[in-house]
Amino acid sequence: QKEVEQDPGPLSVPEGAIVSLNCTYSNSAFQYFMWYRQYSRKGPELLMYTYSSGNKEDGRFTAQVDKSSKYISLFIRDSQPSDSATYLCAMSQMDSSYKLIFGSGTRLLVRP
Amino acid sequence: EAQVTQNPRYLITVTGKKLTVTCSQNMNHEYMSWYRQDPGLGLRQIYYSMNVEVTDKGDVPEGYKVSRKEKRNFPLILESPSPNQTSLYFCASRSGEKLFFGSGTQLSVL
């Protein structure tokens, strides 16, 4: 079993829809949770970062962490075609090695 | 512009022919790392470096070497590439909790 599970998609939604992206994990020691966005032929870029449980909002993006269920989510409101990309969740115990465990990514397509 | 630069972007080679993928960052970051990205497996760490002359294995180090002689450069060396090393490779440097990734090197080993 992988430490981090993520549905690969693709997820296709119309412009303006609310998008929900999710990951589950098995290691209860993870404390730091991130979402990266990766456009085609580009490297991942950090989108959201949260520590422990709770919500964090940044513009149209909201990250949620539920440590009791080992479940994290990224919500995108008013989705735009420019949001079409692959979204990778990542998590870490944040020890000295800074080892990030990535999900395999969910491909999102926002249709105009 | 702050960036991580990898070269080459695309590389096709044959089994056993030594190759080096270069990585350079201009942000004065101490931490650098290499990842490979494969369909269905996500990003997996190959090697990382906490500082100059300090390197350590990640999750999939077999068949790879790295060196960190200068702060800005962190090359990835494949001494004898094999077809199972065909992958998309990313170099990254770190500031706080944020990783900055290069644009990737698509390697095909025939």
Side-chain angles (χ1 to χ4, degrees):
Chain A
Q1 184 192 3
K2 293 181 188 176
E3 276 191 286
V4 178
E5 298 277 1
Q6 187 174 9
D7 189 324
L11 178 62
S12 180
V13 301
E15 183 175 353
I18 296 175
V19 175
S20 172
L21 303 166
N22 312 293
C23 287
T24 59
Y25 63 94
S26 57
N27 187 348
S28 57
F30 289 144
Q31 299 179 62
Y32 295 83
F33 304 90
M34 297 145 209
W35 286 94
Y36 281 81
R37 179 175 61 195
Q38 185 176 19
Y39 290 113
S40 181
R41 299 189 183 88
K42 296 285 187 184
E45 55 180 341
L46 183 64
L47 196 59
M48 297 285 286
Y49 166 89
T50 53
Y51 170 69
S52 196
S53 286
N55 291 4
K56 184 174 183 179
E57 190 173 320
D58 184 2
R60 296 184 295 111
F61 299 90
T62 300
Q64 280 187 355
V65 175
D66 182 349
K67 290 188 75 177
S68 63
S69 301
K70 298 191 182 69
Y71 190 87
I72 69 170
S73 301
L74 177 71
F75 297 97
I76 307 174
R77 290 184 298 281
D78 187 25
S79 55
Q80 303 294 310
S82 59
D83 294 328
S84 298
T86 297
Y87 290 79
L88 305 162
C89 62
M91 42 202 81
S92 172
Q93 298 176 62
M94 205 56 83
D95 56 19
S96 60
S97 71
Y98 193 74
K99 182 176 177 179
L100 279 183
I101 306 298
F102 284 86
S104 54
T106 299
R107 191 165 141 240
L108 172 66
L109 175 63
V110 181
R111 309 185 306 271
Chain B
E1 180 191 353
Q3 60 185 357
V4 178
T5 304
Q6 290 178 234
N7 281 296
R9 286 295 306 273
Y10 302 94
L11 181 58
I12 301 174
T13 189
V14 295
T15 299
K17 186 175 182 182
K18 181 179 178 180
L19 64 91
T20 300
V21 183
T22 64
C23 174
S24 179
Q25 50 98 1
N26 62 2
M27 295 169 280
N28 202 37
H29 293 162
E30 292 182 347
Y31 182 101
M32 297 183 75
S33 61
W34 276 101
Y35 291 84
R36 61 179 288 175
Q37 187 174 35
D38 301 289
L41 297 177
L43 282 157
R44 294 179 292 167
Q45 191 181 55
I46 302 170
Y47 268 94
Y48 66 95
S49 170
M50 302 287 283
N51 212 329
V52 175
E53 302 291 0
V54 180
T55 63
D56 211 342
K57 296 176 181 178
D59 292 319
V60 287
E62 294 78 20
Y64 304 95
K65 283 177 58 177
V66 292
S67 70
R68 188 92 182 274
K69 292 182 173 24
E70 314 165 85
K71 201 172 194 179
R72 62 182 291 126
N73 295 324
F74 190 43
L76 179 69
I77 303 154
L78 284 72
E79 295 264 357
S80 182
S82 61
N84 64 11
Q85 292 178 297
T86 292
S87 186
L88 180 57
Y89 291 86
F90 288 101
C91 179
S93 68
R94 172 193 159 201
S95 174
E97 69 278 0
K98 188 171 182 177
L99 277 178
F100 295 82
F101 285 89
S103 293
T105 296
Q106 179 64 59
L107 171 65
S108 295
V109 183
L110 305 177

